[in-house]
Amino acid sequence: MDVRTYIERHRETFVAELKEWLAIPSVSSDPEHGGDVHASAEWLARHLEDVGFATVEIWQTGGLPAVFAEWPAADPDAPTVLVYGHHDVQPVDPVEEWETDPFVPVEQGERLTGRGSSDDKGQVLFHTLGVRACMAASERQRPPVTLKLLVEGEEEAGSPNLTGLLEERRDRLACDVVVVSDTTMWDADTPSMCVGLRGMTDCQIDVYGPEVDLHSGTFGGAVPNPARALAGVLAGMHDSDGRVAIPGFYDDVVEVSADERELLARLPFDEAEWLRTARSTAAAGEAGYGTLERVWVRPTAEINGMWSGHTGAGPRTIVPSSAHAKVSFRLVPDQEPARVQRRVRDYVESALPEGVRATVGFSGPGVRACSSDITSPAVRAAREAMSRAFDTEVLFTREGGSGPEAALAGILEAPLVFVAVGLDDDRIHAPNEKVEVPLLLKGAESVAYLWEDLAARSRAASMSNRLW
Amino acid sequence: MDVRTYIERHRETFVAELKEWLAIPSVSSDPEHGGDVHASAEWLARHLEDVGFATVEIWQTGGLPAVFAEWPAADPDAPTVLVYGHHDVQPVDPVEEWETDPFVPVEQGERLTGRGSSDDKGQVLFHTLGVRACMAASERQRPPVTLKLLVEGEEEAGSPNLTGLLEERRDRLACDVVVVSDTTMWDADTPSMCVGLRGMTDCQIDVYGPEVDLHSGTFGGAVPNPARALAGVLAGMHDSDGRVAIPGFYDDVVEVSADERELLARLPFDEAEWLRTARSTAAAGEAGYGTLERVWVRPTAEINGMWSGHTGAGPRTIVPSSAHAKVSFRLVPDQEPARVQRRVRDYVESALPEGVRATVGFSGPGVRACSSDITSPAVRAAREAMSRAFDTEVLFTREGGSGPEAALAGILEAPLVFVAVGLDDDRIHAPNEKVEVPLLLKGAESVAYLWEDLAARSRAASMSNRLW
């Protein structure tokens, strides 16, 4: 029985299993649902045992549990793949906007609605269907690659314990490639592979002038105004071409290759439609780059918030004593968050007038950008596998946001490949999250082909670990 | 009996009367004290009748009452003087910081403590002592000038009904000069006359970008950020010389005369001490002007407050959909608030990038600056009268704040002369407001001389109404 037939015949079981899992409200950011996150981990562990994984463990962390599973290939020289996903979900507020109960999954036609259906339980679960299809098609008793799964329980809470877990369990997690199934495709008719996420670092800038708010009649015009100083700092962060004007900001930026730009340009991007989604009347950004490039492959400095002095009703004629802003920076390869942080501090210091001082506090070490080399064998194999599953060419996308994937690649020293079938209109993080069941089945089919292909390439190269 | 002797002999009565008035808590901004403001008006009306004013009226307004009184000179050609002051007081919060009950006035040595002692009941009341001293010294039955008093009851609430009252009662208030007794001197050892107040207009700038807050990962770098647009608008309001860069802002500004600059420079100004009061580590402002000039005779644009997007704890990586600022402009002669408002609107419009729009809402029509011509006979007479009372030269000051005085001058079409003896350390608007009784007596003495002098100058000129 070929992969596709196997998957089609097991669709009903697959959906039934997913519905069972989706019924567990594993909201990681809500302490009241801590027990549910544990229950979700237990459900997954039991399911992985049922599927046949040789080792299944629930890994406790300082927070909520991750699930680890391993199923060794018969061939000791077969490559090792680590699949990353998460079993926790977003909160459901505003719950009154859901048309059905977020934790009573409902199948209507091809669509399955429920919290976590797309992000990320559906995309984790297609792996168990995929590996069974792969084995059934080749009549194997074990997968052609050594398959490891790491399904964490705190992704929607910012993965606070993931880095520690990766460092602590580095040996158990050792692999030749990391497959991430937690992103989206261009759209249902345009299958695509994500090949990069931006990094991020964010800070709060606090500017201090006179120690107290001053009457603007008595003192105005003769003392430094920290709100004006902050406006200067913020306005000076960009030049008139929309480039970030912080000295050295672009030093380590790797320009995206002409090949990738050409591939991005082939995506059926409709700027008018994009602007409607953004509810913005104009696109704006760095000169010389299109909208997709601006959100995917170019770094940014963005004011997320600011406040100073009187913000209530009516006038209050003061020189405020302080002014504050939250600013975040999206990063691209090879910007180092720590280096960007130093550049930002130096810039703020240099942009302040006499009589005001500032502190720049970053919320953490920041997250590096990550990207896949589109010329690498792993990306080529994954693209071919997806093309075969979708019966069409697969294009490349990126994501402008940031996730824990850079930590996976960095700590495990393995390349990242994104195989995912979510859609931008799946309403993840919003009411009425749904997933298209046929796309989950295509995901299963893709990885079924991918495992065979990776094993074949490895055998052909006879030196698997050098392939990636 | 000369003026000084008369005043010294009546000091005790004067202080007793003032204490009686100060005991009435006429807080105009607190509706609970509305009855007390009425009681304060009634106390003053009775007192003015006792003193001998021919006409005493309580003028009801849409809000709280003003007191009007008139005492015609015997000589029908004598000039008419209108004295402006107010009988309402500031709130007393934080009341726990008062060392004595704010409405149980306490005399300790030369100092009288109580809410309103300096601002403005003490300075209103020195006029009744002054006119009696003036008449006693010249053995007149009536004052040498026609003396009118307008003592309003809503100054500390922003004088919302003063303009209407002035327009409605313009005939009754007609005068040759307006004497304002509601400002301060340089210090107790440096008697001075205020010769100008800055005007003011203030607005809220609301900048709108995308209709909703957007995820800065998904959209950041490709849509206009209204906080960045606002920062640009605010930063662009000044050039690198600290001048207001709004086109046309200085068009109608009258440069202060070299004579007045020279006189201002003679004030014993200690910038280090001023900075300690401001609790600022540096002075800053328009190039080419000193600190006193910057706060007194130069117009300003000052950010009073701003807010946008996420202002709570921790990061939230959004492109905010709107950004807001409160900005006030201190004005000098001959800036017209309405014209400045148009300039500000035009500037904001011109400074916005594509994809953001802004509204600029002014809180009202604004207040013109006012100033006295230091070469005018009225100012010269008042300065000489004060010099005689204080036995020393009187210098000129200005105030950087704004008050209702411009409306007096504008509607009554009469020049302003400031004769006042408050001190910057009288703690007006703060706990433990006090007044120096000897200075109130000097105020009484000053106006006693001034009325005689104005009458004499008028007779000498034989054409009183042309004098001013």
Side-chain angles (χ1 to χ4, degrees):
Chain A
M1 190 178 351
D2 70 8
V3 164
R4 190 168 293 178
T5 309
Y6 180 93
I7 288 172
E8 275 164 13
R9 290 202 185 155
H10 290 79
R11 171 185 175 136
E12 213 168 312
T13 322
F14 170 74
V15 172
E17 287 164 347
L18 179 54
K19 285 167 83 170
E20 210 179 288
W21 196 17
L22 292 176
I24 303 171
S26 51
V27 181
S28 56
S29 62
D30 182 349
E32 289 199 2
H33 285 290
D36 295 315
V37 181
H38 282 272
S40 165
E42 280 152 23
W43 185 95
L44 176 61
R46 205 165 43 245
H47 173 73
L48 294 171
E49 283 166 358
D50 291 347
V51 168
F53 277 80
T55 305
V56 179
E57 295 172 15
I58 292 179
W59 285 355
Q60 304 300 335
T61 67
L64 295 164
V67 176
F68 172 77
E70 182 172 357
W71 199 345
D75 175 1
D77 293 330
T80 299
V81 174
L82 175 72
V83 170
Y84 166 84
H86 60 93
H87 67 92
D88 62 320
V89 300
Q90 278 277 317
V92 295
D93 293 324
V95 72
E96 63 277 9
E97 291 183 19
W98 284 78
E99 285 162 21
T100 58
D101 187 318
F103 298 110
V104 179
V106 173
E107 204 181 354
Q108 288 174 302
E110 307 283 34
R111 181 166 291 185
L112 180 65
T113 300
R115 175 56 89 219
S117 55
S118 174
D119 180 21
D120 185 38
K121 285 173 175 170
Q123 303 212 55
V124 168
L125 213 62
F126 79 56
H127 279 281
T128 62
L129 178 58
V131 70
R132 283 183 293 186
C134 168
M135 287 160 58
S138 58
E139 297 181 353
R140 293 174 190 276
Q141 300 307 309
R142 293 187 182 191
V145 295
T146 290
L147 191 61
K148 295 179 179 179
L149 258 64
L150 176 66
V151 185
E152 71 155 321
E154 297 184 307
E155 200 270 351
E156 301 296 4
S159 302
N161 295 293
L162 180 65
T163 302
L165 197 67
L166 294 174
E167 281 168 353
E168 196 184 319
R169 311 275 190 157
R170 193 194 306 250
D171 292 348
R172 301 288 305 279
L173 296 165
C175 59
D176 299 301
V177 61
V178 176
V179 171
V180 176
S181 296
D182 189 26
T183 53
T184 58
M185 304 196 306
W186 180 260
D187 65 31
D189 302 323
T190 316
S192 63
M193 278 181 69
C194 175
V195 293
L197 275 71
R198 291 195 289 193
M200 217 256 288
T201 185
D202 69 277
C203 66
Q204 181 169 318
I205 304 173
D206 299 295
V207 179
Y208 301 97
E211 281 177 49
V212 290
D213 289 351
L214 294 172
H215 187 278
S216 79
T218 312
F219 295 98
V223 289
N225 181 324
R228 183 170 137 203
L230 179 60
V233 166
L234 297 176
M237 276 195 183
H238 291 85
D239 67 17
S240 58
D241 282 334
R243 280 175 65 84
V244 177
I246 295 167
F249 184 77
Y250 292 96
D251 276 2
D252 303 313
V253 169
V254 177
E255 285 286 332
V256 69
S257 69
D259 280 356
E260 191 176 340
R261 286 190 85 170
E262 191 271 322
L263 281 166
L264 293 182
R266 281 170 57 195
L267 289 165
F269 176 64
D270 179 342
E271 184 154 284
E273 177 58 30
W274 186 88
L275 284 172
R276 273 192 293 279
T277 306
R279 299 177 68 178
S280 177
T281 58
E286 190 182 353
Y289 295 89
T291 291
L292 283 184
E293 291 171 331
R294 287 168 175 169
V295 293
W296 285 351
V297 301
R298 298 301 296 171
T300 66
E302 204 75 64
I303 305 168
N304 308 126
M306 59 185 188
W307 67 102
S308 174
H310 177 54
T311 59
R316 194 160 151 240
T317 51
I318 55 168
V319 177
S321 78
S322 67
H324 313 269
K326 308 236 184 204
V327 183
S328 60
F329 303 88
R330 296 284 168 178
L331 308 178
V332 300
D334 287 329
Q335 289 180 297
E336 276 295 328
R339 197 164 179 203
V340 169
Q341 292 181 359
R342 283 196 302 275
R343 302 284 198 203
V344 172
R345 285 182 204 281
D346 290 348
Y347 163 71
V348 171
E349 198 54 43
S350 74
L352 291 177
E354 202 191 351
V356 304
R357 63 191 177 80
T359 59
V360 182
F362 285 87
S363 71
V367 173
R368 275 195 203 88
C370 61
S371 65
S372 306
D373 176 358
I374 63 172
T375 65
S376 68
V379 170
R380 286 211 300 254
R383 191 180 180 210
E384 280 165 28
M386 284 187 76
S387 294
R388 197 170 152 199
F390 282 94
D391 297 308
T392 186
E393 185 190 39
V394 167
L395 293 173
F396 290 128
T397 64
R398 292 204 180 208
E399 297 211 352
S402 312
E405 291 78 3
L408 290 164
I411 296 170
L412 303 181
E413 294 177 359
L416 291 176
V417 176
F418 295 84
V419 179
V421 293
L423 295 179
D424 285 341
D425 71 358
D426 278 350
R427 297 187 287 270
I428 67 168
H429 298 205
N432 304 305
E433 177 177 350
K434 58 86 179 170
V435 75
E436 304 295 328
V437 173
L439 296 184
L440 290 182
L441 303 183
K442 291 293 180 197
E445 195 178 336
S446 299
V447 294
Y449 299 140
L450 180 56
W451 304 157
E452 278 297 352
D453 189 42
L454 289 178
R457 284 176 191 247
S458 169
R459 282 192 302 275
S462 293
M463 37 191 289
S464 63
N465 289 353
R466 302 286 170 77
L467 243 184
W468 326 107
Chain B
M1 188 175 355
D2 69 10
V3 165
R4 188 168 294 178
T5 309
Y6 180 92
I7 288 171
E8 276 164 11
R9 288 198 185 160
H10 289 79
R11 172 186 174 137
E12 212 168 313
T13 320
F14 170 75
V15 172
E17 287 164 347
L18 179 55
K19 286 167 82 170
E20 210 178 288
W21 196 19
L22 292 177
I24 304 171
S26 50
V27 180
S28 54
S29 62
D30 183 350
E32 288 201 1
H33 284 290
D36 294 315
V37 181
H38 282 273
S40 165
E42 279 152 23
W43 185 95
L44 177 60
R46 204 162 47 243
H47 174 72
L48 293 171
E49 282 166 359
D50 291 347
V51 168
F53 277 80
T55 305
V56 179
E57 296 172 14
I58 292 180
W59 285 355
Q60 303 299 336
T61 68
L64 295 164
V67 176
F68 172 77
E70 181 171 358
W71 198 346
D75 175 1
D77 293 330
T80 299
V81 173
L82 175 72
V83 170
Y84 166 82
H86 62 92
H87 66 92
D88 62 319
V89 300
Q90 278 276 318
V92 295
D93 292 325
V95 71
E96 64 278 9
E97 290 184 19
W98 284 78
E99 285 162 20
T100 59
D101 187 319
F103 298 111
V104 178
V106 174
E107 203 181 355
Q108 287 173 302
E110 306 283 35
R111 181 167 291 187
L112 181 64
T113 300
R115 175 57 90 218
S117 55
S118 173
D119 180 23
D120 185 40
K121 285 172 175 170
Q123 302 212 56
V124 168
L125 213 63
F126 78 56
H127 279 282
T128 62
L129 178 59
V131 70
R132 283 183 294 186
C134 169
M135 288 161 57
S138 58
E139 296 182 352
R140 292 173 190 276
Q141 300 307 307
R142 292 186 181 193
V145 296
T146 289
L147 190 61
K148 296 179 178 180
L149 256 65
L150 177 65
V151 184
E152 72 155 319
E154 297 185 306
E155 201 270 349
E156 301 295 4
S159 302
N161 294 293
L162 181 64
T163 303
L165 196 69
L166 294 173
E167 280 168 352
E168 195 185 321
R169 311 277 190 156
R170 193 194 306 252
D171 293 347
R172 300 287 305 280
L173 295 166
C175 59
D176 299 300
V177 61
V178 177
V179 170
V180 176
S181 296
D182 188 26
T183 53
T184 58
M185 305 196 305
W186 180 260
D187 64 31
D189 302 323
T190 315
S192 62
M193 278 181 70
C194 177
V195 292
L197 274 71
R198 291 195 288 192
M200 217 257 289
T201 185
D202 69 276
C203 67
Q204 181 169 320
I205 303 174
D206 298 296
V207 179
Y208 301 97
E211 281 177 50
V212 290
D213 289 351
L214 293 172
H215 188 279
S216 79
T218 312
F219 295 98
V223 289
N225 180 323
R228 183 170 137 203
L230 179 60
V233 166
L234 298 176
M237 275 195 182
H238 291 86
D239 67 17
S240 59
D241 282 335
R243 280 175 66 87
V244 178
I246 295 169
F249 184 77
Y250 291 96
D251 277 0
D252 303 313
V253 169
V254 177
E255 286 286 331
V256 68
S257 69
D259 279 359
E260 191 177 340
R261 287 190 84 170
E262 190 271 322
L263 281 165
L264 294 182
R266 281 171 57 196
L267 289 165
F269 176 65
D270 178 342
E271 184 154 284
E273 177 59 31
W274 186 89
L275 284 172
R276 273 191 293 277
T277 305
R279 299 176 67 178
S280 177
T281 57
E286 189 182 352
Y289 295 89
T291 290
L292 283 184
E293 292 171 330
R294 286 168 176 170
V295 293
W296 284 351
V297 301
R298 298 301 296 171
T300 67
E302 204 75 64
I303 305 169
N304 308 127
M306 60 184 188
W307 67 101
S308 174
H310 178 54
T311 59
R316 198 163 148 235
T317 52
I318 55 168
V319 178
S321 78
S322 67
H324 313 268
K326 308 235 184 204
V327 184
S328 60
F329 302 87
R330 296 285 169 179
L331 309 178
V332 301
D334 288 327
Q335 290 180 297
E336 276 295 328
R339 198 165 177 204
V340 169
Q341 292 182 359
R342 284 195 301 275
R343 303 284 197 201
V344 172
R345 286 182 203 281
D346 290 348
Y347 163 71
V348 171
E349 198 55 43
S350 74
L352 291 177
E354 201 192 350
V356 303
R357 62 191 178 80
T359 60
V360 182
F362 285 88
S363 71
V367 173
R368 275 195 203 87
C370 62
S371 66
S372 307
D373 176 357
I374 63 172
T375 66
S376 69
V379 170
R380 288 214 299 254
R383 190 180 181 211
E384 281 167 27
M386 283 187 76
S387 295
R388 197 170 151 200
F390 281 94
D391 298 309
T392 186
E393 185 191 35
V394 167
L395 294 174
F396 291 129
T397 64
R398 291 202 180 210
E399 297 211 351
S402 312
E405 290 80 2
L408 290 163
I411 296 170
L412 303 181
E413 294 176 359
L416 292 175
V417 177
F418 295 83
V419 179
V421 295
L423 295 179
D424 285 341
D425 72 357
D426 278 350
R427 297 186 289 270
I428 67 168
H429 298 206
N432 303 305
E433 177 177 350
K434 59 85 179 172
V435 74
E436 303 294 328
V437 173
L439 296 184
L440 291 181
L441 302 182
K442 290 294 178 196
E445 195 177 335
S446 299
V447 293
Y449 299 142
L450 180 57
W451 305 157
E452 278 298 352
D453 189 42
L454 289 177
R457 284 174 191 248
S458 168
R459 282 191 304 274
S462 292
M463 39 190 290
S464 61
N465 288 355
R466 301 286 170 76
L467 242 184
W468 327 107

